[in-house]
Amino acid sequence: MKRSFLLFEVLIAIFLVSLCLIPLIRSPIKNYRYELKLLEEMEGERWAEWSFSEIKEKLLNNDIPWEKIPAPGTASPKISLPPITLQLPGLPPKTIQRSFSLRCTKKSEKETKDKEIYRLLRIDLYFNPRLSQKKHNKQKQDYSFRIMVKKDNNVR
């Protein structure tokens, strides 16, 4: 009779041990997934900064001429940038399409005494699929930057 109870006791012991191990295993897995999500968010912010620097360089080199910069109170259509590939350890590579638009508010153009014209631009960056998964980000754009540009009268 003791033999039949031994198998049953072993099964109960295995069940209890596995029941105690589930919380110990679930917590590190949950933390690992959270860290991957956070890493993806940080990489998205890095790509947003990189994209902003590309746009600043285009403005500086006059690849976006003054005539294409929106007038006060208007916005430009979306302008495409080359796609990027997001590669993170533990996740498959993801290709992300990038675009941006320039916006100039009504009172953001100033003319100095020396007849130099400045405009304050808001650069809205768009990523598809979106990089920012934050719940409070209900705007259409993923990231937004501001930059002051000056009309260069020497460029023709």
Side-chain angles (χ1 to χ4, degrees):
M1 279 200 186
K2 234 179 176 180
R3 293 256 182 221
S4 62
F5 285 108
L6 184 64
L7 180 59
F8 187 64
E9 289 171 354
V10 168
L11 287 175
I12 289 176
I14 291 173
F15 174 73
L16 290 174
V17 167
S18 62
L19 195 63
C20 292
L21 287 178
I22 289 174
L24 296 175
I25 294 172
R26 188 177 352 163
S27 181
I29 291 173
K30 189 176 178 181
N31 287 342
Y32 177 72
R33 287 183 182 156
Y34 175 75
E35 286 179 11
L36 281 178
K37 184 179 171 185
L38 190 62
L39 183 62
E40 189 172 357
E41 189 79 27
M42 288 170 46
E43 190 70 7
E45 289 179 13
R46 188 182 74 81
W47 275 111
E49 293 285 340
W50 181 269
S51 300
F52 177 61
S53 68
E54 282 182 68
I55 297 165
K56 278 188 354 185
E57 185 176 353
K58 285 178 182 273
L59 288 167
L60 184 65
N61 294 335
N62 287 324
D63 292 340
I64 302 173
W66 183 259
E67 294 76 29
K68 299 248 180 183
I69 294 174
T74 62
S76 72
K78 285 186 181 179
I79 302 167
S80 295
L81 289 170
I84 57 171
T85 302
L86 193 64
Q87 292 181 324
L88 297 173
L91 294 175
K94 191 186 325 184
T95 301
I96 297 171
Q97 303 297 324
R98 303 180 297 161
S99 61
F100 70 95
S101 66
L102 303 173
R103 183 175 308 275
C104 186
T105 58
K106 289 183 181 178
K107 297 182 180 179
S108 63
E109 183 172 290
K110 302 288 182 198
E111 188 170 341
T112 64
K113 294 176 185 175
D114 301 331
K115 302 293 182 193
E116 293 177 333
I117 300 173
Y118 291 89
R119 282 188 190 157
L120 179 64
L121 294 179
R122 190 176 93 192
I123 300 172
D124 294 329
L125 290 171
Y126 305 92
F127 294 96
N128 187 18
R130 291 185 78 166
L131 295 177
S132 178
Q133 303 297 327
K134 295 178 181 175
K135 293 178 183 175
H136 67 273
N137 189 3
K138 295 181 181 173
Q139 301 164 338
K140 291 182 181 179
Q141 81 274 4
D142 291 331
Y143 297 93
S144 183
F145 298 92
R146 291 179 185 250
I147 186 170
M148 182 71 72
V149 292
K150 173 186 163 189
K151 182 176 182 180
D152 192 0
N153 295 327
N154 299 330
V155 177
R156 293 187 178 116

